[in-house]
Amino acid sequence: MKGYQIKKIVNKYYGVDLNSNCRSLKYMRPRQVAQYLCRLYTNLSYQQIAYLYGNTDHTTILNNIRKVESLWLKDIGVTRDLLIFETIFEGLGVKK
């Protein structure tokens, strides 16, 4: 799976513009989840993921991925969303 495909799927699911620079949770959490999924389901480096999401610094991507990892079992909404994406990707034949 390609990074832009993950971005498109996440964008459609949440209905927000993942390229937005807005820092409200409505935009930030979907962007973090998409970046986490890019790292999990592609071979993209942090730098490449940063480029995909508007040339942010690669350390921002690293922090966002760590944030999602820490929320995986703590935030029921994030857990639910990640399980839904896992099901979607499995249906498309994508492996971790």
Side-chain angles (χ1 to χ4, degrees):
M1 176 158 277
K2 308 274 187 196
Y4 73 88
Q5 293 170 313
I6 291 173
K7 190 175 179 181
K8 185 176 179 181
I9 291 168
V10 174
N11 187 41
K12 185 175 180 180
Y13 177 79
Y14 286 110
V16 298
D17 180 10
L18 298 177
N19 288 329
S20 171
N21 289 330
C22 186
R23 294 182 186 213
S24 73
L25 199 56
K26 175 183 176 183
Y27 293 92
M28 187 174 56
R29 186 69 74 228
R31 199 166 41 240
Q32 290 171 334
V33 167
Q35 292 166 357
Y36 170 81
L37 292 170
C38 280
R39 187 65 177 162
L40 193 63
Y41 286 97
T42 70
N43 292 326
L44 295 176
S45 68
Y46 295 117
Q47 194 82 30
Q48 291 168 319
I49 296 170
Y51 181 75
L52 183 64
Y53 288 89
N55 286 326
T56 60
D57 188 72
H58 75 281
T59 58
T60 302
I61 303 302
L62 178 61
N63 288 331
N64 287 344
I65 290 169
R66 287 180 179 164
K67 179 67 173 180
V68 173
E69 288 172 343
S70 74
L71 291 173
W72 170 242
L73 295 176
K74 294 178 186 172
D75 184 318
I76 190 71
V78 172
T79 303
R80 179 199 64 225
D81 291 349
L82 290 175
L83 290 173
I84 288 170
F85 287 120
E86 185 175 324
T87 302
I88 290 169
F89 295 155
E90 283 178 1
L92 295 172
V94 178
K95 303 285 186 211
K96 290 183 190 177

